[in-house]
Amino acid sequence: GINAEYGVITMATTLPPVNRSGSKSVSTQPSQPRSQRSAKNLGRAAVRERHSIAKLAGIERADVGAFRNTYKHNLSLEILQEGYVSSFIELFELFDQQAKDRDNAGSDSGVHEVPLLIDQHDKLDVLKSKLIEAEEARRKGTPEKSYQSYLELAQYFGKFPSDTWLIDHFHDRCMNESSKVEDDGGRKLAEANYNIGIALEERGDLSSAVEYLEKFYNLSTEQEWQDKIGDNLHDIASLQLYRTYSCLAEELYEEAPSVSIDYLKKAFHMANEGGNRTEAGMASHRLGNIYEAVGDPEVAAMYHKGYLDRCKRDKDKVGMGKAYEALARCQQSEGKLEEATENYKEFVKIAQDVGDKSVYSQACSSLANLYNMLGEYGNAVEYYKKAAESMTTDDKERIELMNIAQAVAQTHHHLASYSTAILCNTAKLTATLVEWKDYRDDSFVESSRPASHASGAATPSCDQEKK
């Protein structure tokens, strides 16, 4: 009809045709505007569009997921898809362990400055590769290969100072796998103990380190095992224990001298057993020093003598100088002054041959001190002077002390002659004394003493001088 009010012609609604067999039905609902479509439909459309673009670009759906996921997620999927569940579990246990360690350490700890393992992709790649290798070896029943994989992981993380916890973890894994190896006579077990001992020693835990190194020593006893360059593992154990025992002795000296001596004796034994004469000599020298420090110069001298003999065989002049000096100190403490004097002279001679001015100065000073104690002031002055002239130090206090010692010895050297001149009051001695006051040389001493006195006899009497 015609709507007169609006002047619009309205057509009657047309009914849809009857649906015939095989024909498609036609919706009677008008299509919704684009703005009214549901968010769900829009999301599906966007996904279809992205997949279409990816397909055109030759990218698989899995690749798209990998791009969108985290590195940790993708790494985990790869491990699981390859069927290595144990590796997946161990990796996540490491993530959890680091998180717990950070929480337990507290917010003020420096551990929070260390990046999380989960964010270090290069390390994760290495972990994935070696953990899968180890799991594959365990499946095949070859524990020696899984041991090697874990060892390589421990060595890899050894390059990073902040990864000691990972080093410990994989050394422990090596220990577990080594106990399963049955056809190597216990070599893998011995090596596992050695590796843990060295790792502990490097971080300063000597008491714990020595336990593992002693196990390595015991397991390698009477074995012909050699390392890659042909060194016997038992000799390596002996040398390593020598070094660790020596460090422990030094560490415990102030706190427990007797325990320190016990460790030094063990070090001495290990050095001898390992066949290393140089190390054995040093161990003997250290034993001598510590016995000397605790007040037993007789035993100290025995060890110093052993050190001297080894140095002579090896023609080690520096070592010989140290040994002569130490022997002289011990003999001086025992009252064996003539022997001490001879050994100090040998020390001076060797120091001069070596050409080390600081050592030569020390040797001359030591000999001068002994001469001064013996009352041989002329000799004392001579060697104090040599000591002062050869000093290379900038230590003004030490130089001043050396000059004072020389002056005191010089005074003692002149005292007897000066006293004789004053007490006797002869014209000859008075003239000599006046002349000495002008020149201050040793001619006064020589002219005021008979030859017998110059060699150590008593001061001449006035009657002798008057004659």
Side-chain angles (χ1 to χ4, degrees):
I2 299 174
N3 190 328
E5 183 178 355
Y6 295 100
V8 178
I9 300 174
T10 303
M11 299 298 293
T13 302
T14 305
L15 295 174
V18 177
N19 187 20
R20 297 177 181 175
S21 179
S23 63
K24 297 181 180 179
S25 62
V26 180
S27 174
T28 61
Q29 299 295 326
S31 64
Q32 294 178 329
R34 189 175 187 87
S35 61
Q36 295 180 12
R37 294 180 184 176
S38 68
K40 184 176 181 181
N41 291 335
L42 287 173
R44 288 175 176 173
V47 170
R48 286 196 299 271
E49 184 176 356
R50 284 197 300 271
H51 287 169
S52 298
I53 294 172
K55 189 173 182 180
L56 289 172
I59 304 174
E60 297 295 333
R61 184 171 182 173
D63 296 330
V64 175
F67 179 77
R68 296 174 59 194
N69 295 328
T70 63
Y71 198 85
K72 166 193 168 185
H73 182 89
N74 293 330
L75 190 73
S76 302
L77 283 177
E78 290 174 7
I79 295 174
L80 289 173
Q81 286 171 351
E82 293 175 22
Y84 296 101
V85 178
S86 295
S87 299
F88 170 81
I89 293 172
E90 185 167 0
L91 186 61
F92 270 77
E93 285 176 346
L94 291 174
F95 294 155
D96 290 342
Q97 179 183 338
Q98 188 178 33
K100 289 177 182 177
D101 289 344
R102 289 164 71 95
D103 291 340
N104 294 335
S107 57
D108 296 334
S109 173
V111 72
H112 290 276
E113 299 177 5
V114 178
L116 287 168
L117 178 61
I118 201 171
D119 296 326
Q120 301 181 69
H121 298 171
D122 289 343
K123 292 181 181 179
L124 291 179
D125 288 340
V126 175
L127 275 169
K128 173 197 169 187
S129 173
K130 292 301 176 182
L131 288 176
I132 288 176
E133 276 186 13
E135 185 173 352
E136 184 68 29
R138 288 198 305 275
R139 291 177 182 178
K140 294 179 178 178
T142 53
E144 65 278 4
K145 291 185 179 180
S146 57
Y147 168 92
Q148 185 61 33
S149 297
Y150 288 129
L151 178 61
E152 289 173 6
L153 278 172
Q155 292 170 341
Y156 170 76
F157 286 108
K159 298 184 292 185
F160 307 100
S162 61
D163 288 338
T164 54
W165 66 285
L166 287 168
I167 298 171
D168 291 343
H169 173 82
F170 289 112
H171 278 319
D172 287 342
R173 296 291 276 150
C174 285
M175 183 69 78
N176 292 335
E177 294 302 306
S178 67
S179 62
K180 301 173 186 176
V181 180
E182 299 177 350
D183 57 353
D184 70 341
R187 173 168 179 161
K188 285 288 187 293
L189 182 59
E191 291 177 355
N193 278 284
Y194 173 78
N195 291 329
I196 293 176
I198 293 298
L200 290 168
E201 184 186 50
E202 287 176 350
R203 68 190 67 164
D205 190 355
L206 299 177
S207 297
S208 298
V210 79
E211 295 179 14
Y212 289 96
L213 292 173
E214 285 174 345
K215 290 177 183 177
F216 172 55
Y217 171 85
N218 292 330
L219 287 167
S220 61
T221 301
E222 297 182 357
Q223 300 288 348
E224 299 299 325
W225 300 330
Q226 295 182 344
D227 63 7
K228 292 180 180 179
I229 61 174
D231 291 335
N232 182 273
L233 293 190
H234 189 64
D235 290 343
I236 293 174
S238 300
L239 182 58
Q240 185 57 51
L241 273 174
Y242 155 76
R243 293 170 180 167
T244 308
Y245 285 145
S246 298
C247 291
L248 267 171
E250 185 175 350
E251 186 178 272
L252 296 171
Y253 170 68
E254 296 292 340
E255 179 184 345
S258 60
V259 178
S260 180
I261 289 175
D262 289 340
Y263 275 122
L264 277 178
K265 286 180 177 179
K266 289 181 178 181
F268 181 62
H269 172 72
M270 288 297 163
N272 279 318
E273 185 173 319
N276 192 314
R277 292 192 306 183
T278 301
E279 303 294 357
M282 289 304 300
S284 183
H285 183 54
R286 290 191 184 101
L287 271 169
N289 286 340
I290 198 169
Y291 271 111
E292 187 180 350
V294 298
D296 194 341
E298 184 178 358
V299 176
M302 178 185 71
Y303 283 108
H304 287 315
K305 182 66 168 59
Y307 178 48
L308 177 61
D309 292 340
R310 291 174 187 274
C311 290
K312 285 180 177 179
R313 285 198 300 268
D314 295 339
K315 298 181 180 179
D316 177 9
K317 285 199 170 185
V318 174
M320 288 168 62
K322 292 179 181 178
Y324 277 124
E325 180 189 22
L327 267 174
R329 284 198 312 266
C330 293
Q331 290 160 348
Q332 187 173 341
S333 297
E334 291 182 276
K336 300 175 180 179
L337 301 182
E338 289 185 7
E339 295 177 33
T341 301
E342 292 305 314
N343 282 320
Y344 273 132
K345 286 180 179 178
E346 291 294 333
F347 180 31
V348 169
K349 181 180 178 182
I350 287 175
Q352 188 173 23
D353 291 343
V354 170
D356 189 329
K357 288 187 176 181
S358 62
V359 175
Y360 178 68
S361 176
Q362 175 61 36
C364 291
S365 175
S366 298
L367 182 55
N369 289 336
L370 181 56
Y371 275 134
N372 197 43
M373 187 181 73
L374 292 170
E376 298 184 28
Y377 300 118
N379 290 330
V381 170
E382 177 187 353
Y383 282 98
Y384 277 134
K385 184 177 181 181
K386 289 179 179 181
E389 289 174 348
S390 58
M391 288 177 67
T392 58
T393 180
D394 293 329
D395 187 346
K396 293 182 180 180
E397 183 178 354
R398 186 167 183 270
I399 293 173
E400 185 177 350
L401 288 173
M402 189 64 65
N403 289 332
I404 291 172
Q406 182 181 346
V408 170
Q410 186 80 39
T411 301
H412 289 152
H413 182 45
H414 290 130
L415 182 60
S417 297
Y418 182 81
S419 298
T420 300
I422 294 297
L423 292 173
C424 294
N425 195 25
T426 64
K428 178 183 176 182
L429 288 178
T430 300
T432 303
L433 181 59
V434 171
E435 184 179 359
W436 173 75
K437 286 280 187 179
D438 289 334
Y439 297 104
R440 303 281 178 159
D441 58 20
D442 286 345
S443 60
F444 167 68
V445 177
E446 299 302 327
S447 62
S448 302
R449 295 185 182 182
S452 61
H453 179 67
S455 61
T459 304
S461 66
C462 290
D463 291 341
Q464 289 176 319
E465 291 296 335
K466 288 175 181 178
K467 290 180 182 179

